[in-house]
């Protein structure tokens, strides 16, 4: 049975003593009762989460694990601070115009707004387009400082995507560009509307896929941080599917460690 685990570090010891609560995550799609039973057997499970430390400014880390999937998730910014940061991002971030990406042999307009910020002299290329980052601005420095303090990792580049509502989306892909420092994590901070983030194992894509691992769906909340650790992007694709019922905007920032080539 394929599954993933969600645990706070303090729960690991408690798990051995039987102190563990479990809950089922959301799953994509629906089917007949028998198909639903089979899906239930394969569906990833969330196990154990301890209450937040009373002295902690953020929620405890949740660990997301499956075969080749290694991520950590927390609510890093409380609502008042997250609201303020979202307002500053809406006012201060300057998005690029007319960005096109080369996908499956064709050029496409991206279904969202996008821009990069980062250290001078860096570039980042994906889907046939090279991005030269704008200089850091205070609100981005503030977010980066908090992420670096919380994770112990440093970042010199950020890709920002703005989704005006649930019609804006991001297609399934892996972040495996050669500019990324090998084995470095990607830190994804979200502000605004909560959207579903879906992981799918690379060997489980398409009708003729050699394997059938269940996708992992994670709602990314306002003020949250998702840390995608090695080797996640080697084995799992991720996407932000269209959600027509979502009417509010969302801004996502993926902080990366990039090297000059």
């Amino acid at each position: 049975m394929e599954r993933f685990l969600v645990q706070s570090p303090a729960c690991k010891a408690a798990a051995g003593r039987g102190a563990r609560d479990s809950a089922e995550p959301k799953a994509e799609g629906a089917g007949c009762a028998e198909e639903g039973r089979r899906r239930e057997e394969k569906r990833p499970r969330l196990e154990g989460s301890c209450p937040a430390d009373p002295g902690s400014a953020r929620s405890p880390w949740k660990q997301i694990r499956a075969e080749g999937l290694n991520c950590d998730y927390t609510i890093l910014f409380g609502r008042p601070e997250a609201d303020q940061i979202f307002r500053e991002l809406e006012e201060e971030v300057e998005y690029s115009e007319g960005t096109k990406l080369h996908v499956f042999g064709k050029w496409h307009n991206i279904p969202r707004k996008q821009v990069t910020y980062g250290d001078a002299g860096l570039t980042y290329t994906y889907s046939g387009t090279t991005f030269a980052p704008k200089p850091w601005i205070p609100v981005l420095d503030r977010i980066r400082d908090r992420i670096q303090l919380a994770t112990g990792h440093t970042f010199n580049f950020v890709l920002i995507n703005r989704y005006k509502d649930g019609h804006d989306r991001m297609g399934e892909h892996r972040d495996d560009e050669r500019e990324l420092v090998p084995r470095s994590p990607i830190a994804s901070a979200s502000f605004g509307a909560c959207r579903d983030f879906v992981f799918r194992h690379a060997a489980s894509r398409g009708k003729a896929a050699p394997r059938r691992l269940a996708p992992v769906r994670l709602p990314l909340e306002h003020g949250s941080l998702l840390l995608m650790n090695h080797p996640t992007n080697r084995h799992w694709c991720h996407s932000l599917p269209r959600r027509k019922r979502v009417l509010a905007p969302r801004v996502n920032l993926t902080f990366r460690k990039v090297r000059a080539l």
Side-chain angles (χ1 to χ4, degrees):
M1 178 174 65
E2 304 294 344
R3 68 179 185 175
F4 72 100
L5 306 180
V6 178
Q7 290 187 314
S8 64
C11 284
K12 292 181 179 178
R17 299 190 298 270
R20 178 176 292 172
D21 297 324
S22 62
E24 290 294 332
K26 300 177 182 177
E28 295 191 304
C32 65
E34 178 62 22
E35 176 66 17
R37 184 186 65 78
R38 290 197 298 267
R39 283 177 176 269
E40 192 69 26
E41 292 175 352
K42 293 183 177 181
R43 183 179 300 168
R45 294 166 56 192
L46 284 70
E47 298 191 5
S49 180
C50 292
D53 180 354
S56 176
R58 59 168 172 80
S59 65
W61 285 102
K62 295 180 180 180
Q63 299 178 341
I64 304 169
R65 302 291 187 264
E67 179 182 318
L69 181 67
N70 180 0
C71 296
D72 300 294
Y73 178 82
T74 188
I75 304 299
L76 184 60
F77 302 92
R79 177 167 292 277
E81 185 178 15
D83 289 346
Q84 177 61 34
I85 289 174
F86 181 72
R87 287 192 293 268
E88 292 180 30
L89 292 171
E90 291 285 77
E91 294 171 359
E92 299 177 20
V93 172
E94 299 177 354
Y95 293 94
S96 303
E97 299 292 337
T99 302
K100 292 181 178 289
L101 301 179
H102 195 249
V103 182
F104 298 122
K106 295 182 179 180
W107 288 96
H108 301 269
N109 292 317
I110 60 172
R112 58 192 178 276
K113 286 186 176 181
Q114 191 174 74
V115 69
T116 61
Y117 287 77
D119 291 356
L122 298 176
T123 61
Y124 190 74
T125 301
Y126 76 95
S127 297
T129 300
T130 298
F131 297 86
K134 298 175 182 289
W136 294 101
I137 56 177
V139 64
L140 299 181
D141 280 328
R142 174 183 173 190
I143 300 169
R144 180 174 60 154
D145 288 346
R146 287 285 294 281
I147 291 174
Q148 292 181 157
L149 182 62
T151 65
H153 294 281
T154 60
F155 303 94
N156 59 5
F157 187 94
V158 63
L159 171 66
I160 306 176
N161 286 294
R162 185 187 188 275
Y163 304 84
K164 69 179 184 300
D165 54 29
H167 290 273
D168 283 2
R169 66 195 187 281
M170 178 182 63
E172 200 169 70
H173 69 286
R174 284 183 286 180
D175 294 324
D176 54 3
E177 289 73 30
R178 63 194 187 102
E179 290 95 339
L180 291 171
V181 172
R183 305 177 70 91
S184 62
I186 294 177
S188 174
S190 297
F191 299 93
C194 181
R195 292 286 297 270
D196 289 332
F197 192 74
V198 180
F199 289 101
R200 190 183 307 277
H201 197 281
S204 298
R205 301 177 70 191
K207 295 180 179 179
R211 303 186 64 187
R212 289 296 176 189
L213 279 74
V216 176
R217 186 175 72 173
L218 177 67
L220 298 182
E221 302 171 74
H222 181 44
S224 68
L225 175 65
L226 173 67
L227 192 66
M228 293 184 283
N229 304 300
H230 177 81
T232 297
N233 273 296
R234 177 181 296 175
H235 303 290
W236 291 77
C237 300
H238 55 268
S239 64
L240 192 87
R242 179 185 285 115
R243 293 289 185 258
K244 295 181 179 180
R245 294 185 178 181
V246 176
L247 304 179
R250 169 182 183 262
V251 176
N252 175 253
L253 307 93
T254 49
F255 289 85
R256 306 153 191 256
K257 187 68 174 290
V258 173
R259 55 184 175 173
L261 297 178

